[in-house]
Amino acid sequence: MVTSDSQSICQEVNPTEYLLTFHAEWSLGTFPKQYPTHRPPAQWSLLFGCSHSTQNELWAEGQLASPGLRQFAEEGVHKLLEEELTGPDRRCFHTEPLPQGVGNRSVTITVEPGLPLVSLLVRIVPSPDWFVGVNSLNLCNGSRWQNSLTFDLFPWDAGTDSGFVFSSPNFATDPQEPISKIMAQRPSHPANSFYYPRLQTLPRLGFLHLHLVDSDTTNDRAPERERHNTEHTEPEPRGTPLDCEVSDWSRWGLCSRACGKGSRLRTRYILLQPANHGEPCPALEQYQDCEERACPPKQQGATPAPDSQDAVGENSTMVFYVAAPPSNTTVFFNGSLQPTNESSPAKPFSTQDPLDLYTSTPVSTQEDTSSHGQALNTSQLQSTDAPMRVNASPTST
């Protein structure tokens, strides 16, 4: 990177031209964290800048962004910013947008002895209000124009939006904050898209190259300028290591045994996959011994209970103890243990369904119950609060 003192006075007499090229290097290898791949993918706005005197600046660290700069940093629109800068002491320029993260854009600019400084910016797309750029780069070295300069580009925050990640929705910063440089560990929030705690400095997002155009060979260099406007891909720098990030542990689950000793589990999940030989992800599950109340002792010689389907044989007799219903009431068994209201139709008794005891309105003892299961006329039962014993032989459905 070559720079010069922006406060020095240029003693050149004649204006000159420079070929300014923006080389973008925003790739998945250099910035793997939350790298935008769609809606929209990583790309760049148009490059907008001006040549100016020492009394005029497009932007500066520590200052508040103007309304035009805010609009450019958040939306990539330069019209308002250009209107703010229109005047005899500025010469502004811009390029076409770059629709991918890696590539280049070029423009030929004119500088004069009274306007030897160049400031420019390019919006990072997508982003809340982030951009790359230079402020007051002096192209005049005392008595002559510099032949060429290269300037590395790093991300800046315009201070107008509080989003942390590339795809953050619009969230205005109130009050507005000064323009500040984004660094590997600042802002220190782990969710920030440029947060790389293992790095001391971020890789560059690209660089500017300015080359003095000889006025005597301007026509001869036209083909070269045309080639510079193509969107060729630059070789990617070495990948930036990205460590795996995981969530906090969940709460412990239930013990695997209702009684006695067992185990319980807690889990966590991956927030960010590692890349470029970063630290791999740790274990996502963790087990712990647990012990519930003591299990009751087993009875010697006890046989296990039969399965529910085998509990009732084809010719078995089922015995139920129920409270004696009111007299002149017929008792029905319809196949479940839930009470059935009067509007529910009775059904034949089946050993395939659980048994249900319900009462209906009084019916004649002579009523045909073939379609209602087995009915018991309780008019002959003794009215008592004591339970009564009802034997029901299963019938086929």
Side-chain angles (χ1 to χ4, degrees), residues 101-123:
V102 178
N104 62 65
R105 281 287 186 260
S106 293
V107 62
T108 300
I109 66 173
T110 300
V111 291
E112 302 176 6
L115 308 174
L117 308 181
V118 171
S119 296
L120 57 85
L121 63 164
V122 190
R123 179 178 182 250

Side-chain angles (χ1 to χ4, degrees), residues 296-311:
K298 294 183 179 180
Q299 297 182 0
Q300 294 185 354
T303 58
D307 294 338
S308 59
Q309 294 184 353
D310 299 332

Side-chain angles (χ1 to χ4, degrees), residues 214-223 225:
D214 189 344
S215 59
D216 295 334
T217 59
T218 299
N219 294 333
D220 296 336
R221 299 184 66 88
R225 274 179 283 175

Side-chain angles (χ1 to χ4, degrees), residues 25-38 40-44 99-102 125-126 166-167 193-194 196 205 236 242 272:
E25 297 177 335
W26 184 21
S27 69
L28 181 62
T30 53
F31 292 92
K33 185 175 182 180
Q34 302 167 3
Y35 185 80
T37 57
H38 60 285
Q43 56 190 278
W44 300 90
Q100 64 268 338
V102 178
V125 182
F166 293 121
S167 57
S193 293
F194 284 115
Y196 291 86
L205 276 166
E236 293 186 6
L242 180 66
L272 189 66

